[in-house]
Amino acid sequence: MGLDKFNLEDWQHWTWVMGRMQQMMMEHMAKTAQSNASDIGKWADPAQWQTLMSSFVGQMPSLDMSAGADLLKEGMNIWQSAMGKALSGEVFAPDTTNMSRQDRRFAAPAWQENPVFAMIHQSYLMISDHLLQATDNIDGLDPAKKRQLRMGMRQVADAMSPSNFAFTNPEVIEKTIETKGENLLKGMEYMLRDLRKGQLTHTDPDAFELGRNIAVTPGKVVHETPLYQLVQYMPTTDKVIKTPLIIFPPWINRFYILDLNEKKSFVKWAVGQGIPVFMVSWKSADASMKDVIWDDYVGAQIDAIDTVRGALGVDSVNAIGYCVAGTTLAATLSLLAARGEADKVNSATFFTAQVDFEHAGDLKMFIDDAQFKLIEQVSRDGYLDGRYMAATFNMLRGRDLIWNYVVNNYLKGEDYPPFDLLHWNGDTTNLPSKWHRAYLEDLYRDNKLVVPGAITVDGTPIDLRKIETPCFIQAGREDHIAPADSVWKLTHHLSGQYEFLLAGSGHIAGVVNHPDQKKYQYWTNRKKADTLKKFIASAKETPGSWWPYWAKWLANQSGAKVQAKGGYIPGKGKLKAIEEAPGRYVKSR
């Protein structure tokens, strides 16, 4: 419907829409004034963004503006082309000779066919390219600082995209006319809801429920401490590997990334292979955990290992450490070796885990003094609100995880799709601030873990070279959280046998890749290689999931099978059932 066809009823409807939006905003402001807004929520305040932007610009080195003439010339070319086509009645076609001009934010025909919007989006892309190039051309900055500056500039450029604003996005304008503004009304409801909870929504918040349609593999909580619950899963085979498997997931996320649903669940699949599986479910930090440090997480891993050994009457366990819990598992193995107790762990598997943080990826951009100060400001009662970490990870992929949802949900008013992975991604966990600060400083900034004796756990200096436990090391080829090159360096610090495997995809999809999905691929190489590049050069590529390959490796390490009875049945052995899986710790907020 065009504006020329508006009648009195249409204008009355529009008046109601605008009035309702104003009322919603005033009600939100009134509620916010009556309650103490969280530190995370304050970052949604435009004034805070203006202050942040001023600070950012003030710290920027002077950009080389010698390319200004080229910028002006290219802008004039875009203008002349757009206006020339408009006057001649021709459709304005964008310049596709430069691949940077091909951007899915502007894929809709309206961005190409309308000369005004074509000029707007091409001018924006041109300016963005020049700003980023000017950042890259700055001299005198160390690579880490330049990478941080470029990320900041990219964040600014993405935020300024004309696709993010209702009046410069032809798709939003078309939607607004079509729905008579109902999209904006619905979008405001979504936006105000997110402001109230201090977190961006990515999926239908009512689509998933723990224990109903996610984290549904049958099992029971059989052990509990103030830091973690231990979940034991029900066997589905008559016989199981005698040596049980304990999975240590990262406590910066919920454990059920490994148990999303039946078609994706690593837990369910592993149980189906005759592997007795125990899962650690970490408690989301609260004020009671203000003094928790890394030693406590290492101690918790050892406690879980000893608990399972005692419950099943076995000498050792197999262990998996994912991400930060894998880093911690390396420290645990070192500590056990120093104590003469290395044989408590039969084998160790590392999912995308780093011990050498020299080239630790994008998160290294968040370890300067300014970031530490910000963490202190948003930490309350001795713990870091999980929404801060969620916002940090969203920033690393801002175009996909922030602005895409601003446009689709806030501006277009589209409904959120049900997506289990994004539900998990938004299910935040709080972190003990004392541990978090030390982890960033000691590992990401100072890289102490690979220096023998530089870190002490429970009074014992840590030396990774003492680890002789057979290890399986998995990395993701496109992982930006724990880059494959960085994960590879674990091989330089072990004294025992190990196998390295490179999986297709990244930090999550590279790990959670069920064989039935028939996705991606993996690379193996039994030849010795001192660099990842050499490993890849002669590696064997195999299509599909790497899980079956790992299961064979684990079976070779584990030996005999036994009947799945007694202690191998949750609640039937020495460990009595406390509650049904997935347990209440994973549900705490």
Side-chain angles (χ1 to χ4, degrees), residues 391-402:
T392 299
F393 284 109
N394 287 342
M395 283 179 62
L396 296 177
R397 294 177 55 198
R399 189 178 297 181
D400 294 328
L401 294 179
I402 298 177

Side-chain angles (χ1 to χ4, degrees), residues 376-580:
E376 289 180 2
Q377 292 174 349
V378 299
S379 296
R380 299 179 302 170
D381 299 323
Y383 66 91
L384 178 67
D385 193 313
R387 291 172 295 178
Y388 172 83
M389 287 297 296
T392 299
F393 284 109
N394 287 342
M395 283 179 62
L396 296 177
R397 294 177 55 198
R399 189 178 297 181
D400 294 328
L401 294 179
I402 298 177
W403 299 111
N404 178 54
Y405 292 89
V406 168
V407 174
N408 289 335
N409 304 113
Y410 294 175
L411 299 182
K412 294 182 181 179
E414 295 179 356
D415 292 329
Y416 293 95
F419 192 176
D420 52 10
L421 180 59
L422 287 178
H423 176 88
W424 167 83
N425 187 62
D427 192 357
T428 61
T429 55
N430 303 327
L431 304 176
S433 54
K434 187 176 292 187
W435 166 84
H436 185 61
R437 175 68 181 261
Y439 188 81
L440 292 178
E441 290 182 342
D442 292 344
L443 276 66
Y444 271 92
R445 188 188 67 185
D446 299 335
N447 202 19
K448 290 182 178 180
L449 186 56
V450 292
V451 179
I455 288 181
T456 298
V457 175
D458 196 26
T460 301
I462 295 301
D463 185 351
L464 300 181
R465 298 173 302 178
K466 294 183 178 181
I467 300 175
E468 297 181 354
T469 305
C471 293
F472 188 99
I473 305 166
Q474 177 268 337
R477 185 179 60 175
E478 288 89 30
D479 195 337
H480 65 285
I481 302 298
D485 277 313
S486 186
V487 174
W488 168 265
K489 290 189 175 183
L490 176 56
T491 66
H492 296 169
H493 302 284
L494 302 174
S495 296
Q497 294 182 347
Y498 65 83
E499 179 150 358
F500 183 89
L501 179 144
L502 181 65
S505 198
H507 198 67
I508 302 300
V511 173
V512 184
N513 182 21
H514 196 288
D516 289 349
Q517 301 294 314
K518 302 185 185 303
K519 294 174 63 176
Y520 311 124
Q521 69 283 99
Y522 62 93
W523 291 265
T524 55
N525 192 344
R526 296 295 179 88
K527 298 178 182 178
K528 288 292 184 181
D530 55 7
T531 67
L532 179 61
K533 185 177 181 180
K534 291 180 180 179
F535 170 90
I536 295 174
S538 58
K540 176 186 177 182
E541 179 179 347
T542 304
S545 172
W546 56 270
W547 292 2
Y549 185 92
W550 166 82
K552 291 179 181 178
W553 178 89
L554 188 74
N556 290 334
Q557 306 298 323
S558 304
K561 289 189 174 184
V562 297
Q563 289 293 324
K565 60 182 181 180
Y568 290 92
I569 305 296
K572 298 300 182 180
K574 296 179 181 179
L575 296 176
K576 302 305 178 183
I578 297 174
E579 58 182 327
E580 295 293 325

Side-chain angles (χ1 to χ4, degrees), residues 16 40 149 158 170 208 280 303 316 321 327 382 414 527 536 548 586:
W16 175 81
I40 298 293
L149 184 62
D158 285 347
F208 301 100
V280 165
D303 178 71
S316 62
T327 305
E414 295 179 356
K527 298 178 182 178
I536 295 174
V586 74

